[in-house]
Amino acid sequence: MQIALVKDFMVFIVAISLLWLGALASWLLRHHLPADTRRGWILGLFPLSSFGIVLWQTLMLGETAVIHRTTWISTLNLDAVLQFDALSALFALLVTGIGTLIIIYAGYYFLNDDSAGRFFAYLFLFMGMMLGLVLAGDVITLFIFWEGTSITSFLLVAYKYKYESARAGAFKALFITAGGGIALLVGLLFLSSIAGSTDFATIMASGDLIRGSNLYLVTLILVALGAFTKSAQAPFHIWLPNAMSAPTPASAYLHSATMVKAGIYLLARFNPALGETEAWFWLLSLVGLATMLIGAYLGTKQKDLKALLAYSTISQLGILMMLIGQDTEIAFKALVIGVVAHAFYKSALFMGAGIIDIETGTRDIYRLGALRQSMPLGFAIIGISALSLAGLPPLFGFLAKETLLATAVHPSLPEFVSWLFTAAIIVAAAFKLVQAGMILFEVFLGNRKDETIQHRPLPKLVFLAPALPALMSLGLGILPEPQGLAEFFGAAAAVSFGDKVKVSFALWTGLNIPFALSVGAIGLGTVLFIQRKRLIAWQNSLLSWSFNGAFDQLIWGIDRASTLSTKVQSGKLRFYLSVMIVAMLGLVTISVGGFNLSQLATLEDLSLQENPVRLISLLITLLAAGATVLIKRDFFAILALGTAGLGVAIYMAVEPAPDVALVQIVVDILATLILILALTQLPQLQKSAAERLNGRFHLPSFIVAAGSGLLVTLITFTALTSRPRTSLVTPFYSDNAKALTGASDIVGAIIVDFRALDTLIEIAVFSLAGLGLYTLMRFAANKHQDHPPQAYINPRVQQFGIAGPQTSVYLRSMAKILLPIAFLVASVHMLYGHDQPGDGFTAGVIMSLAVGFTYLIFGFDEARQRLTWLQPFSLIALGILLVVFNGTMGYLLNGQFLSPIDYGGLLSITTLPAGVKLSSGFLFEVAIGLAVLGSASLMLDSLARPSALVIQPVTESESVPERGATAVSFFAKVFQRR
């Protein structure tokens, strides 16, 4: 196959981004879009646009595969690759085409439902993940989108989260598919290691090398496990029927074109690399055969219409998996025809089931009946699709069944085994005919079974979405073969088969073995349908063991094991810390042969005699650290800990490392403030118990502490004395900081330019720390209906500051002056972060300290009234989004995320003060400051008065925060409402 390398792959990024843009629009406009049929038509423009892009690229494709790549991690030779060939085009057209119909249909399904914006957002996210999966051109990109489909499908299945069935079904689906995803990741890494590349093109060209590797069998099993779990192969099929708790539009989409087809696509894609072996044939054929029979057999037992369709999907997935295991041309012809035929009739059937559910209020086929009178259009559409499911002429499903039967007699198998495969296929086809018959006769024909069912008709246009795939099933069977379509199917099959495949849509090929087998399957199915009541009674009389029961036992065993393992969890932090430290001591002792004690640093090495300030700072640090152990009052112990930190800051300032010293000082003060606030929230009984323990000598704790301290000391001195004295990276930073980033301050250049991604992760972690503290305090405050600790309240003294009497006018005046000064100092730090010591993190902490001082002086309530502009959640979001915007601009302008940009030069701004530069570094500093201020403020909010976190019932009058209301209480109310 020819391959054209194209560097620009924005057209496919646009196709995926359009779907995610639809998710954003669905969420942001959820209260503005009309909650009627227009919503589906408006939102349907997003997948329709993606479908148009994919169709346009497909028409331009021909027989040429196009690979679109961009450098991801150059040092590891990893590229992010999108590959577009006939196979990916086939699945991409199904994903976007049927996705468009599903969105339009969902507009009718959620008619007058104002809360459906969340569903549309989930569905668009899932759609984008699935499109990215089939367009992936390397294993890393594939796996990212693969796991994305698992997460987003979990959200869809659990959409009705108030119902236990929805939560249980979503958990089962995620547990099984995510477990298979772990196996797939390991298998893909093995595959890439053997082939020497993560690119599909290299992997597919290395088939002989892969099949000859000692790791082939392990790799095959791991990759197959990932595909089996995703595509509901036995025994992992149990998650799919339970996923029927999802709204019907999601079920229709998952079954027909996306989630369950992901595993089929994966193994079809990797057939040239992993196939053509006995292990491949037997593994896929036997698992597919078992899945085909299980789905066909269990489907006839179901009385829920969606459950019946779910099991028929399982049966069809088994057929497709079995076809991939073959090494014949006809098998891959049957594969592509089967994929498309199933997508057409199954999407129509599921959407029809949703219409029946809404109009009648039930999906129980034994309560329905005679719907042909009230739903004539639905009867026609579902009837066509059911006949295609049954494999009857002249539907497209008949062609799928014929090509399947043509593969039944495998030329390389023993005759007995070959005919066993044939018999299994005939039996499965017969059961599927029974299922189709049950849909038609139990639901639409016969007499009305339940007179209490009230018919609530939907607008007639709701039938448009299921009618299109149903008519496609009919049109491909009776109309002349569309020009070029068979060639396109053949090209898709050839990508998987590894050689040319000829595809024809002719239904009649003469009196041959496949036709005879088809007649036999129809005859057997007719007999079983006539005797269906006896058949179902016989099925129900059998032993009620099930795979679901085995899964429940597995989960019970895991829960039991976790219960036993938590017996050692005493709940005492001292014990946990001791275990971690002792484990660290053991691991380090085992891994390190010894320490070179003869090279320990001396006083001369530390230059203490030349600069006595260093010696004084070390003595301060040592004495303060010792005081934290000896002092009994916890408040004074916290002050001593802060003093130790300031001693380290002095040493850093003398080193000289002014940037590090500055950060150490402000962080140390902020940490001291937070610890003091946390101290005010401790229950008095626990405080008293802790104070009684202070000063007591505890030998085991002393041994653990002394041992860990000695070990860290030895590791530190050994690292300092044994490392190369000449730095390899320092010259690079000093030589290139100014040239590449325009920064005079090397530390600033490292933080926001050279190691910008590290900094992005660090501020994200800092933000999560604030959110985590808020969440924990909110949970505890609501659980205990918190109020200020009684130990700190004097009923005879009016409370103004935090647990204290009214502060003096002098301190209040200082607080009023300090806040704007602190923000001015912080602004200077951000402006000159690239030119002088100081950065956005320091600026954020300085502003946070000023806010904390305001809390201490004015008290929580008055401080919040004064700081109404302080919205921690908004500040965190604004900071993170500003970094992402900054990085995206770097990618768009320079081709690399978070690369330096001189915005001032681009905008021709040259009148800035000396040392100030309008650059990406400046925006990064501002973003860091905002995120740090938001997170630290959230910590202060949570600790200053936890009772503000207690959620009260929300009324309509409280939907907008009153003047002076706290940000925490407002957001807590919003979260509680949701």
Side-chain angles (χ1 to χ4, degrees):
M1 176 177 293
Q2 299 177 358
I3 295 177
L5 295 179
V6 179
K7 293 183 179 179
D8 183 13
F9 63 119
M10 289 304 297
V11 62
F12 291 105
I13 293 297
V14 169
I16 298 172
S17 299
L18 278 170
L19 301 177
W20 289 340
L21 186 61
L24 185 62
S26 300
W27 177 253
L28 295 180
L29 303 177
R30 61 190 183 280
H31 299 309
H32 303 284
L33 288 173
D36 53 29
T37 58
R38 292 174 292 171
R39 177 169 52 184
W41 289 98
I42 294 171
L43 294 176
L45 295 174
F46 290 100
L48 182 62
S49 301
S50 291
F51 175 77
I53 292 174
V54 174
L55 181 61
W56 165 51
Q57 291 293 311
T58 302
L59 296 175
M60 295 175 58
L61 183 63
E63 297 182 357
T64 303
V66 182
I67 294 180
H68 310 268
R69 67 174 67 246
T70 186
T71 301
W72 180 32
I73 305 178
S74 56
T75 54
L76 298 179
N77 196 27
L78 289 179
D79 294 337
V81 184
L82 295 182
Q83 178 170 320
F84 190 72
D85 53 25
L87 182 63
S88 55
L90 177 67
F91 280 87
L93 288 171
L94 291 177
V95 169
T96 54
I98 293 182
T100 302
L101 299 178
I102 294 296
I103 293 295
I104 295 173
Y105 168 77
Y108 292 89
Y109 185 86
F110 289 102
L111 194 63
N112 300 323
D113 186 347
D114 294 329
S115 64
R118 179 166 58 92
F119 174 82
F120 282 101
Y122 292 164
L123 189 59
F124 274 121
L125 287 174
F126 174 77
M127 201 178 297
M129 291 295 179
M130 190 65 200
L131 182 58
L133 189 153
V134 300
L135 292 177
D138 69 280
V139 298
I140 304 299
T141 305
L142 171 76
F143 181 75
I144 291 173
F145 285 111
W146 181 277
E147 289 301 283
T149 60
S150 295
I151 296 171
T152 48
S153 65
F154 169 82
L155 297 175
L156 287 170
V157 176
Y159 176 72
K160 301 176 182 178
Y161 58 89
K162 293 183 180 180
Y163 295 92
E164 173 62 26
S165 59
R167 299 195 298 271
F171 168 77
K172 183 177 290 187
L174 186 63
F175 182 87
I176 293 175
T177 58
I182 296 173
L184 175 63
L185 175 61
V186 179
L188 292 177
L189 293 177
F190 281 169
L191 196 62
S192 302
S193 177
I194 298 170
S197 174
T198 59
D199 284 7
F200 284 174
T202 304
I203 292 174
M204 301 312 159
S206 306
D208 293 336
L209 177 64
I210 295 170
R211 287 185 286 268
S213 171
N214 293 330
L215 294 174
Y216 168 73
L217 188 58
V218 176
T219 303
L220 169 61
I221 293 174
L222 291 171
V223 173
L225 274 175
F228 290 164
T229 53
K230 185 76 78 172
S231 287
Q233 300 296 297
F236 308 110
H237 66 281
I238 54 176
W239 71 263
L240 191 56
N242 291 97
M244 291 302 97
S245 56
T248 300
S251 301
Y253 195 48
L254 265 67
H255 281 253
S256 61
T258 52
M259 179 75 166
V260 294
K261 295 287 178 65
I264 301 300
Y265 170 80
L266 176 74
L267 293 182
R269 170 65 67 187
F270 283 113
N271 179 64
L274 292 171
E276 301 178 8
T277 66
E278 289 292 319
W280 174 271
F281 169 77
W282 287 110
L283 179 62
L284 271 62
S285 296
L286 292 180
V287 171
L289 189 72
T291 305
M292 174 186 68
L293 291 174
I294 289 173
Y297 172 79
L298 294 178
T300 57
K301 295 177 60 176
Q302 309 305 315
K303 63 179 182 179
D304 186 308
L305 186 54
K306 283 180 65 174
L308 186 153
L309 295 175
Y311 279 103
S312 71
T313 295
I314 292 173
S315 181
Q316 181 64 25
L317 292 172
I319 291 172
L320 298 176
M321 189 64 66
M322 187 171 59
L323 290 172
I324 300 174
Q326 315 297 311
D327 57 357
T328 60
E329 177 185 351
I330 188 65
F332 287 88
K333 171 188 174 182
L335 173 67
V336 293
I337 292 177
V339 166
V340 176
H342 178 260
F344 286 160
Y345 67 68
K346 192 53 63 74
S347 60
L349 286 172
F350 263 107
M351 286 188 276
I355 296 172
I356 292 173
D357 189 13
I358 294 176
E359 292 199 358
T360 65
T362 183
R363 298 194 305 261
D364 190 338
I365 62 175
Y366 297 117
R367 290 184 60 201
L368 298 168
L371 290 186
R372 69 186 184 280
Q373 300 172 359
S374 56
M375 295 178 60
L377 190 56
F379 175 51
I381 294 170
I382 295 177
I384 292 172
S385 303
L387 294 177
S388 187
L389 165 68
L392 297 178
L395 283 304
F396 195 50
F398 174 74
L399 178 62
K401 186 183 71 172
E402 288 287 291
T403 51
L404 168 65
L405 291 170
T407 69
V409 183
H410 200 282
S412 62
L413 292 179
E415 185 175 354
F416 170 75
V417 177
S418 180
W419 281 107
L420 181 63
F421 274 56
T422 304
I425 293 174
I426 292 175
V427 171
F431 273 105
K432 290 178 71 175
L433 188 144
V434 175
Q435 295 168 6
M438 292 171 65
I439 295 172
L440 290 177
F441 282 85
E442 300 292 352
V443 176
F444 290 99
L445 302 177
N447 298 320
R448 190 170 182 177
K449 305 183 184 81
D450 190 342
E451 297 295 334
T452 63
I453 293 178
Q454 301 294 322
H455 187 70
R456 298 180 292 275
L458 288 171
K460 296 300 182 183
L461 276 177
V462 71
F463 291 102
L464 177 63
L468 289 178
L471 292 175
M472 290 291 288
S473 295
L474 180 62
L476 288 176
I478 63 176
L479 295 178
E481 184 176 298
Q483 183 178 1
L485 187 61
E487 289 76 7
F488 172 63
F489 276 49
V495 173
S496 181
F497 182 50
D499 202 351
K500 291 184 178 181
V501 176
K502 183 179 180 181
V503 175
S504 172
F505 293 161
L507 294 182
W508 176 253
T509 57
L511 297 173
N512 49 27
I513 293 178
F515 179 77
L517 296 176
S518 180
V519 172
I522 294 173
L524 178 60
T526 303
V527 173
L528 291 176
F529 175 74
I530 295 173
Q531 299 295 325
R532 62 186 181 279
K533 293 184 178 179
R534 293 184 178 181
L535 172 64
I536 295 171
W538 174 75
Q539 288 177 318
N540 293 330
S541 67
L542 297 179
L543 185 64
S544 60
W545 184 90
S546 67
F547 289 105
N548 281 294
F551 176 83
D552 293 338
Q553 290 297 316
L554 173 64
I555 298 299
W556 178 87
I558 294 174
D559 288 341
R560 181 61 179 167
S562 66
T563 302
L564 293 176
S565 67
T566 54
K567 294 295 184 182
V568 299
Q569 306 295 316
S570 63
K572 297 180 179 179
L573 294 178
R574 180 193 297 269
F575 173 75
Y576 299 153
L577 186 61
S578 299
V579 170
M580 289 187 286
I581 292 176
V582 169
M584 180 193 70
L585 290 171
L587 291 173
V588 173
T589 304
I590 293 173
S591 59
V592 178
F595 299 97
N596 190 359
L597 301 179
S598 63
Q599 296 184 6
L600 291 181
T602 64
L603 294 179
E604 295 181 359
D605 297 329
L606 299 175
S607 302
L608 298 178
Q609 296 173 341
E610 299 176 4
N611 194 336
V613 177
R614 295 185 179 184
L615 179 59
I616 294 173
S617 66
L618 290 178
L619 290 175
I620 292 174
T621 303
L622 181 62
L623 292 175
T628 61
V629 178
L630 299 176
I631 294 177
K632 293 185 178 182
R633 294 294 300 273
D634 41 22
F635 175 76
F636 296 117
I638 291 174
L639 294 181
L641 180 64
T643 304
L646 292 177
V648 174
I650 295 173
Y651 188 88
M652 292 297 180
V654 178
E655 184 58 25
D659 292 273
V660 180
L662 187 59
V663 172
Q664 174 68 22
I665 290 171
V666 295
V667 170
D668 186 76
I669 297 174
L670 179 62
T672 301
L673 176 60
I674 289 175
L675 287 174
I676 292 174
L677 288 175
L679 189 63
T680 65
Q681 307 306 324
L682 289 178
Q684 182 59 35
L685 293 177
Q686 292 186 3
K687 282 176 54 63
S688 302
E691 290 176 357
R692 288 194 299 270
L693 290 176
N694 285 342
R696 294 185 181 181
F697 181 76
H698 189 253
L699 182 60
S701 298
F702 173 79
I703 294 174
V704 172
S708 60
L710 179 61
L711 179 66
V712 172
T713 301
L714 293 175
I715 292 174
T716 303
F717 275 116
T718 301
L720 289 173
T721 55
S722 61
R723 69 179 183 180
R725 306 312 301 172
T726 303
S727 174
L728 299 178
V729 296
T730 300
F732 171 81
Y733 289 140
S734 60
D735 295 341
N736 294 281
K738 186 70 174 178
L740 297 181
T741 69
S744 301
D745 183 60
I746 299 177
V747 175
I750 293 173
I751 291 174
V752 299
D753 291 305
F754 292 114
R755 303 190 65 176
L757 186 60
D758 290 351
T759 305
L760 170 58
I761 296 173
E762 287 168 4
I763 64 170
V765 170
F766 191 86
S767 301
L768 288 174
L771 294 170
L773 178 60
Y774 162 76
T775 303
L776 292 173
M777 293 296 293
R778 174 174 174 263
F779 172 79
N782 279 281
K783 181 177 180 181
H784 301 288
Q785 293 296 301
D786 217 340
H787 51 80
Q790 295 300 319
Y792 291 89
I793 294 180
N794 187 341
R796 293 173 295 179
V797 180
Q798 187 179 5
Q799 304 298 310
F800 291 92
I802 295 181
Q806 183 177 15
T807 51
S808 67
V809 175
Y810 171 75
L811 288 177
R812 294 171 68 86
S813 300
M814 286 293 295
K816 294 177 182 178
I817 298 172
L818 181 62
L819 189 64
I821 292 177
F823 275 71
L824 180 61
V825 172
S827 301
V828 172
H829 274 280
M830 291 184 286
L831 282 170
Y832 291 91
H834 257 44
D835 191 67
Q836 299 293 333
D839 54 26
F841 186 83
T842 306
V845 177
I846 290 174
M847 292 186 288
S848 303
L849 288 173
V851 170
F853 188 68
T854 304
Y855 276 130
L856 288 172
I857 299 303
F858 294 104
F860 181 85
D861 294 322
E862 185 177 350
R864 289 307 308 166
Q865 291 177 4
R866 290 177 173 272
L867 305 178
T868 54
W869 53 267
L870 186 64
Q871 302 292 334
F873 295 98
S874 300
L875 290 172
I876 292 173
L878 184 60
I880 299 297
L881 289 175
L882 186 57
V883 176
V884 174
F885 166 79
N886 201 28
T888 304
M889 291 299 297
Y891 175 79
L892 295 176
L893 295 177
N894 301 326
Q896 186 173 354
F897 187 67
L898 289 173
S899 59
I901 303 174
D902 183 7
Y903 293 112
L906 292 176
L907 300 175
S908 300
I909 299 176
T910 58
T911 59
L912 296 174
V916 177
K917 194 171 185 181
L918 184 57
S919 64
S920 57
F922 167 67
L923 290 184
F924 207 152
E925 301 286 10
V926 173
I928 295 171
L930 292 174
V932 171
L933 174 61
S935 181
S937 301
L938 200 54
M939 297 179 190
L940 296 172
D941 262 3
S942 303
L943 292 171
R945 204 182 83 183
S947 56
L949 304 178
V950 178
I951 297 174
Q952 304 297 333
V954 179
T955 63
E956 291 298 324
S957 61
E958 295 174 323
S959 59
V960 178
E962 299 177 357
R963 179 176 178 83
T966 69
V968 172
S969 61
F970 170 64
F971 278 93
K973 292 174 182 177
V974 173
F975 290 161
Q976 177 69 9
R977 175 186 291 177
R978 292 177 182 170

